[in-house]
Each structure stands twice: as C-alpha cells, then as structure tokens.
C-alpha cells in the first residue's frame, strides 16, 4: 500500500520514456536507494546495465560504512528514508568537563534547558554591550578560534568526526572553557560536525571522513560568562569542482554580508537580501530554517538574523550589538529535513550544503569580527588546503 503511495505521480526513469511508473526495483528497496521507478518490465530490463551499477555503489558504500566489529550495519532507525548517501555511525561516551570550569545554566540541567534564554523567548530587545562586556566576549571568541584552528588542522581522510570532537573538547577545556554545545537541549557532543548533505547540527560519530567529503566544524566556547561561536567548512583531501564552487560561494556570502551590511543603522533584515543575491549567482539556494543570532552571556538570543531575502527580521544595528551571521547554502533545494536523532539537519534532496559563521560586534564606524583569524580575517582554512 505504501508502495502505491510512493508510486503516485512518479514517472518511468528510462531516459525519454516518461510513462507513469508501475513498479520499483526490489533490490533498491532492500538497499534503501531512493527512486528507481519504471513503467514496465521491459523498461526495467532495458535499463538494467546502467541500473545495477547503483546497487554496486550502494553495497560498497554500505560495506565501507559498516562497523568493523562484527561487520553488522549500524542502523539505528530501520525504515527511515535518508535523503542522501551519508549514514549515522556509533557515538562515543559523553565527555566530561572538570568541575572547576564555569558552565552555562543548561550544563547541569537534566533536559539541557537554557532557563535564562527561555525566559527571554520571543523578546526582540537587543542588548548593547558596554566596552567591558565586549572585551570579555572578545576573549571567548579568540579562544573559540584557537579551538577551531586545532580541529581544522586535524581534518583528513580516515579521521573520524568523533576524533575531531575529542580534539575540540580537550582544546576547549585546556583553555578553561566549557564547550557550549554539550548538553544544550541535551546535545550529546562538544561541537557539531556537518558532512556533505548535512546542513548543520551533525553529531560527531565513528564514521571516518572520506576523501572528497566537505566537513563543517561548528565550535562555541563558554568562557567567564560569555559564548564565542564560529564555524568553517573544510575540504577533506581532494574535493570535486562542484563542492569547491559551493564552498567558495558560501564563504563569499558571509564576507559580503559582513562588509556590506554590518554598521550602525542597517536593518537586520537586509543581511538576507545580500546573501541570497550572491547565492543565486551560483545557482544555489539559501536554507531558511536556521538563522544567525544574538550572542553574549546567552548562547542564542535577539536579534534573529535570517539569511534569505525578503525576511521579516526585527531591529536595526546599533553599536554594541553582538551577533552571528552563518549562511547555510545548498547546491539544490533550500528545504531541510531532520534525522530521527532530532539534531542532524540534511538537505531534502541529499545534495551538498556548506556553511561559514563568525561572531561580530557593531562598532561606531562599522564592524569588529571577534572570531576572525588573527591577521587572516579574509582567509578561510579551505583557501590554504
């Protein structure tokens, strides 16, 4: 019955046929391959040589991603239809933070609720930080950048995202910081690692990075009451031209947004117009479900900074406003879907997505990018790989 529903509105995948689909390849169903609809046995058989290559691909894919121990597939959500080729892998145990390190209110909370943030939910008032507060935020942001530096240096084919998380966790704790993602609404790890079609909030796990992957690492550290938040998308080994182009465009979107928009008097809603205009030049789309955000003593607060055009963001930039801009740009459609882990956000069509993020403060004359690479504000890691 569900197969008939699947079939509705589908047409035969034989090039130039286009008849309504009446059957689906049984091997593809078994291997969880999307699509594979045909109108008749004739079309199915006629396509077989091309088609069976898909099975081979999926099988080698599955084999390379199955856990070595016992060779059993790690499949936490039987029946879930993945949009792309990435699959979850086992996670390591939760890492701990030494007691002497100061932590945000949600860290000990059993549900990971940030009570101080939740109290202000829906409040559009944007705090203007004073010089002392900005200096404290600046320190957290500088330390966050140092942590991301260490993570970026470790990215290579064969390295698991769990290993990246361990590096982030230890580098964070070494700097007397708390890793902000840890236990935020019960997020289980100390950073987010978003690979290929993952838009954001990927959970570090035991899958080894593969040559040709793109991997975003999103780091936030909490130091003496302030959060510093940043992320970059990094090439794993040799990546394809289309992946490179997407990552370059995404970086340019962030650069343009900061340069053209961030100064006193700009409406927050303007940021999305600049980003979408540039993403469109590459034929890319802008993810709409996740936005930039205010940040200081709270991890996420006003303002809300959408990255798409014609948005309804509230507020005007003033000196002392601190916030992130973090465009997520996708190769295909802008829509997203969340895995059953309730965190991992993926593109609806399984195509690639990239992201970059900085934390910044509005100054009297423009902007100070607090998470910028020292001496290399305009040089992302991928440019050096």
């Amino acid at each position: 019955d569900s197969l008939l529903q699947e079939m509705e509105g589908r047409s035969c995948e034989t090039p130039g046929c286009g008849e309504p689909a009446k059957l689906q390849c049984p091997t593809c169903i078994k291997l969880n391959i999307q699509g594979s609809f045909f109108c008749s046995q004739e079309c199915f058989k006629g396509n077989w040589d091309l088609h069976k290559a898909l099975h081979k691909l999926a099988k080698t894919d599955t084999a390379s991603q199955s856990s070595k121990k016992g060779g059993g597939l790690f499949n936490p959500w039987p029946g879930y239809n993945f949009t792309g080729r990435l699959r979850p892998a086992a996670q390591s145990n939760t890492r701990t933070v030494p007691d002497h390190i100061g932590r945000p209110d949600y860290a000990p909370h059993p549900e990971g609720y940030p009570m101080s943030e939740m109290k202000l939910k829906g409040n559009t008032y944007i705090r203007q930080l004073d010089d002392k507060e900005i200096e404290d935020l600046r320190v957290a942001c500088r330390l966050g950048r140092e942590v991301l530096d260490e993570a970026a240096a470790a990215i290579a084919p064969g390295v698991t995202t769990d290993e990246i998380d361990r590096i982030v966790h230890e580098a964070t704790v070494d700097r007397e910081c708390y890793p902000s993602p840890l236990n935020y609404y019960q997020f289980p790890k100390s950073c987010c690692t978003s690979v290929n079609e993952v838009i954001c909030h990927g959970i570090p796990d035991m899958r080894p990075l593969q040559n040709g992957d793109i991997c975003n690492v999103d780091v936030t550290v909490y130091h003496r009451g302030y959060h510093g938040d940043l992320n970059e998308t990094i090439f794993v080994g040799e990546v394809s031209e289309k992946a490179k182009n997407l990552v370059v465009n995404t970086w340019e979107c962030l650069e343009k947004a900061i340069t053209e928009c961030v100064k006193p008097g700009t409406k927050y809603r303007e940021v999305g117009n600049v980003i979408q205009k540039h993403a469109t030049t590459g034929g890319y789309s802008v993810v709409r479900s996740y936005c930039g955000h205010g940040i200081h003593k709270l991890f996420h607060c006003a303002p809300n900074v959408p990255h798409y055009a014609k948005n309804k963001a509230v507020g005007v930039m003033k000196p002392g406003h601190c916030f992130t801009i973090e465009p997520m740009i996708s190769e295909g459609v802008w829509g997203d879907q969340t895995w059953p882990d309730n965190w991992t956000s993926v593109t609806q069509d399984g195509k690639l997505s990239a992201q970059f993020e900085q934390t910044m403060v509005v100054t009297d004359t423009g902007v100070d990018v607090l998470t910028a690479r020292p001496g290399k504000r305009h040089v992302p890691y991928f440019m050096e790989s």
Side-chain angles (χ1 to χ4, degrees):
D1 191 39
S2 69
L3 193 61
L4 286 174
Q5 282 172 331
E6 268 273 27
M7 213 83 78
E8 212 158 343
R10 304 277 192 160
S11 50
C12 180
E13 285 173 29
T14 299
C17 175
E19 289 293 312
K22 296 197 175 64
L23 56 97
Q24 190 178 10
C25 169
T27 314
C28 284
I29 295 172
K30 244 200 283 273
L31 290 172
N32 208 357
I33 299 171
Q34 309 284 305
S36 309
F37 296 100
F38 297 94
C39 67
S40 62
Q41 284 293 339
E42 285 70 52
C43 270
F44 179 46
K45 284 177 187 150
N47 232 329
W48 180 247
D49 284 345
L50 268 178
H51 186 80
K52 69 178 178 206
L54 271 183
H55 303 161
K56 206 165 167 183
L57 205 61
K59 279 177 181 154
T60 55
D61 221 31
T62 312
S64 70
Q65 289 174 13
S66 68
S67 75
K68 298 290 176 272
K69 283 197 290 288
L73 259 191
F74 177 80
N75 182 12
W77 318 305
Y80 177 70
N81 272 328
F82 290 90
T83 66
R85 286 177 56 176
L86 191 77
R87 296 292 178 271
Q91 291 171 24
S92 62
N93 295 331
T94 307
R95 300 182 211 279
T96 56
V97 177
D99 287 339
H100 73 275
I101 290 178
R103 56 203 68 209
D105 61 356
Y106 54 81
H109 193 281
E111 274 82 36
Y113 288 162
M115 302 311 286
S116 50
E117 256 177 48
M118 291 166 91
K119 279 213 276 282
L120 293 175
K121 194 154 174 57
N123 188 331
T124 57
Y125 172 72
I126 307 166
R127 270 189 58 199
Q128 287 174 270
L129 273 62
D130 63 33
D131 291 350
K132 165 80 172 78
E133 293 173 313
I134 291 168
E135 281 318 299
D136 289 347
L137 179 62
R138 185 187 305 281
V139 174
C141 288
R142 177 172 56 77
L143 295 172
R145 172 56 74 177
E146 289 177 12
V147 171
L148 186 56
D149 283 343
E150 292 204 22
I155 285 196
V159 177
T160 64
T161 49
D162 181 74
E163 175 65 6
I164 300 301
D165 182 71
R166 183 189 64 77
I167 289 165
V168 165
H169 186 88
E170 290 175 7
T172 302
V173 166
D174 285 348
R175 287 167 177 77
E176 301 282 306
C177 297
Y178 179 91
S180 306
L182 189 59
N183 203 46
Y184 183 73
Y185 289 100
Q186 296 185 311
F187 188 80
K189 295 288 164 195
S190 300
C191 66
C192 299
T193 51
S194 301
V195 176
N196 297 344
E197 68 265 28
V198 179
I199 293 168
C200 61
H201 303 158
I203 302 173
D205 64 22
M206 297 303 188
R207 175 189 178 273
L209 290 167
Q210 295 176 10
N211 187 54
D213 285 347
I214 59 173
C215 178
N216 179 280
V217 182
D218 194 333
V219 165
T220 310
V221 304
Y222 180 79
H223 182 74
R224 300 193 176 163
Y226 288 83
H227 296 271
D229 188 1
L230 70 160
N231 77 51
E232 290 204 26
T233 300
I234 300 158
F235 298 151
V236 183
E238 288 294 313
V239 309
S240 69
E241 215 49 40
K242 69 173 188 156
K244 268 185 198 158
N245 293 340
L246 171 69
V247 171
V248 169
N249 181 284
T250 306
W251 169 252
E252 291 168 347
C253 282
L254 175 58
E255 286 275 86
K256 280 177 175 291
I258 295 172
T259 309
E260 296 177 24
C261 300
V262 187
K263 55 182 181 287
T266 305
K267 294 179 171 72
Y268 281 101
R269 66 174 187 235
E270 186 52 34
V271 172
N273 297 333
V274 169
I275 291 171
Q276 186 162 318
K277 184 179 175 187
H278 187 65
T280 307
T281 63
Y284 304 125
S285 63
V286 181
V287 173
R288 300 169 75 98
S289 299
Y290 303 94
C291 301
H293 53 89
I295 186 166
H296 37 73
K297 288 181 169 162
L298 304 175
F299 191 175
H300 300 95
C301 55
N304 185 47
V305 189
H307 303 114
Y308 55 89
K310 297 187 176 148
N311 66 74
K312 302 281 197 288
V314 175
V316 173
M317 296 178 194
K318 293 180 185 162
H321 282 185
C322 298
F323 55 93
T324 71
I325 300 178
E326 46 184 300
M328 287 141 275
I329 307 299
S330 297
E331 195 191 355
V333 298
W334 59 260
D336 62 280
Q337 184 172 312
T338 305
W339 278 4
D341 59 19
N342 291 324
W343 281 107
T344 309
S345 175
V346 293
T347 57
Q348 266 174 7
D349 55 8
K351 290 185 179 176
L352 297 176
S353 190
Q355 183 184 20
F356 289 89
E357 173 183 28
Q358 305 270 28
T359 293
M360 62 208 74
V361 58
V362 181
T363 64
D364 292 330
T365 55
V367 62
D368 191 353
V369 180
L370 302 177
T371 48
R373 294 178 77 187
K376 293 185 179 179
R377 176 181 149 188
H378 302 290
V379 187
Y381 304 122
F382 76 80
M383 274 188 195
E384 298 175 330
S385 64

